[in-house]
Amino acid sequence: MSKVIQFIRESRAELKKVVWPTKEDVLSSIKVVLISTIIIAIILGALDLGFSELFRIVMR
């Protein structure tokens, strides 16, 4: 049981050392992720459409 208590104490001490991101940092990161996701989705959608059309042309 003493090892569990020691682990909890050490965990709390380590968490106090953590530099947590500010609200602005988090919002900025969210924007980057959303914009990147949208751009990649558009690119993959365009590639899928292009390959689908190419496959239809080849299969005729």
Side-chain angles (χ1 to χ4, degrees):
M1 188 68 177
S2 66
K3 286 188 176 188
V4 173
I5 293 171
Q6 180 183 359
F7 173 77
I8 292 171
R9 284 185 184 149
E10 289 176 1
S11 296
R12 286 177 130 182
E14 288 299 318
L15 283 173
K16 288 180 181 176
K17 296 177 186 177
V18 173
V19 178
W20 298 99
T22 64
K23 183 178 179 180
E24 292 79 23
D25 290 339
V26 172
L27 291 175
S28 176
S29 296
I30 289 172
K31 288 177 187 175
V32 168
V33 169
L34 287 176
I35 291 170
S36 300
T37 303
I38 290 169
I39 290 171
I40 290 171
I42 290 170
I43 291 170
L44 289 176
L47 285 171
D48 182 51
L49 183 63
F51 284 126
S52 295
E53 289 300 317
L54 181 64
F55 184 72
R56 283 191 194 121
I57 291 170
V58 169
M59 293 307 289
R60 285 188 189 169

